[in-house]
Amino acid sequence: DTAVSQTPKYLVTQMGNDKSIKCEQNLGHDTMYWYKQDSKKFLKIMFSYNNKELIINETVPNRFSPKSPDKAHLNLHINSLELGDSAVYFCASSQMTSGSTDTQYFGPGTRLTVL
Amino acid sequence: GENVEQHPSTLSVQEGDSAVIKCTYSDSASNYFPWYKQELGKRPQLIIDIRSNVGEKKDQRIAVTLNKTAKHFSLHITETQPEDSAVYFCAASIESGYALNFGKGTSLLVTP
């Protein structure tokens, strides 16, 4: 269960603040992701990184800046937080097989509440 | 991005009955189709997946079928149990292969 870990689990903050979420995987995967799950449970891809390189940036505001210091870590920094950023953010990782993602393993999620 | 449509949004069955959830996708380049189960407050967990070179896959009470021509895939759960109650998501890989597009989820309730 600690294969993909995220910190913190809960984050409550005021509008306008800057916050970071950290993610680590110990599965040896080469690809990591950030997904956003909104209040209606819709899961949407935000970013995808392969071997520390940004592959997917799915029309996310530039207030969101992911950083991958190495293959095992993908952090998410959010500037100038807005009410609409309130959601659960999931990190995930996978290995690429035959040019496509294999099973994606999700972290426990970070519930962000912006007041 | 390309869409994945999932139906129904809610499904209530009696214990022991079967449950079927259907998805359609629009990206003809999609070649990987996983199904995830998410219990309240927990992370999504893979329950079964299928690749485009296979039409059907089964794992005990769970099966998935894929019709690439029609761009449909379905999840079948037989002999449902109360612990099967959760939100189920279908997904399809995007063209580059580097992410998944998810359906909007089906909330399954299995009543004893």
Side-chain angles (χ1 to χ4, degrees):
Chain A
D1 247 17
T2 58
V4 184
S5 58
Q6 290 177 234
T7 54
K9 192 164 173 60
Y10 300 97
L11 194 47
V12 181
T13 188
Q14 300 285 336
M15 264 195 320
N17 283 352
D18 304 338
K19 289 294 177 187
S20 291
I21 307 171
K22 295 187 175 184
C23 178
E24 177 180 2
Q25 55 97 2
N26 62 8
L27 297 166
H29 290 161
D30 56 12
T31 308
M32 295 185 73
Y33 313 84
W34 280 109
Y35 287 90
K36 178 180 180 180
Q37 186 169 46
D38 62 23
S39 58
K40 294 184 179 178
K41 303 293 186 188
F42 184 45
L43 267 168
K44 186 168 171 56
I45 183 70
M46 299 174 69
F47 300 103
S48 168
Y49 268 74
N50 178 257
N51 286 317
K52 305 192 297 175
E53 298 293 323
L54 178 65
I55 303 296
I56 301 281
N57 179 342
E58 197 62 26
T59 61
V60 178
N62 58 16
R63 297 183 296 104
F64 290 78
S65 50
K67 280 194 173 49
S68 182
D70 55 58
K71 276 175 45 172
H73 296 84
L74 180 62
N75 304 322
L76 184 65
H77 188 76
I78 316 169
N79 289 328
S80 305
L81 278 155
E82 300 177 357
L83 292 176
D85 298 331
S86 295
V88 180
Y89 292 84
F90 285 101
C91 176
S93 74
S94 73
Q95 194 64 26
M96 297 299 288
T97 302
S98 303
S100 182
T101 179
D102 211 335
T103 303
Q104 293 192 9
Y105 294 86
F106 283 76
T110 295
R111 181 174 294 276
L112 171 65
T113 303
V114 182
L115 303 173
Chain B
E2 303 287 344
N3 286 335
V4 176
E5 300 286 333
Q6 182 172 347
H7 298 281
S9 56
T10 60
L11 181 58
S12 184
V13 300
Q14 289 217 304
E15 184 176 2
D17 287 350
S18 294
V20 180
I21 303 170
K22 298 185 178 185
C23 289
T24 60
Y25 62 98
S26 57
D27 186 350
S28 55
S30 296
N31 61 5
Y32 174 64
F33 307 91
W35 286 87
Y36 283 84
K37 176 183 180 182
Q38 187 178 29
E39 295 174 344
L40 192 62
K42 300 281 182 69
R43 72 188 81 191
Q45 294 205 296
L46 181 80
I47 55 170
I48 197 166
D49 57 10
I50 194 167
R51 291 205 175 266
S52 58
N53 57 350
V54 176
E56 185 173 357
K57 185 175 177 181
K58 191 172 181 182
D59 183 4
Q60 299 183 333
R61 297 186 297 110
I62 295 172
V64 56
T65 58
L66 171 65
N67 182 331
K68 272 220 82 174
T69 304
K71 295 182 186 166
H72 289 170
F73 58 116
S74 300
L75 177 71
H76 304 252
I77 307 174
T78 58
E79 299 169 32
T80 53
Q81 301 164 3
E83 49 266 39
D84 293 332
S85 297
V87 179
Y88 291 80
F89 293 94
C90 64
S93 59
I94 68 171
E95 182 174 358
S96 72
Y98 281 99
L100 296 172
N101 274 335
F102 281 83
K104 291 193 173 180
T106 296
S107 180
L108 174 65
L109 178 64
V110 181
T111 52

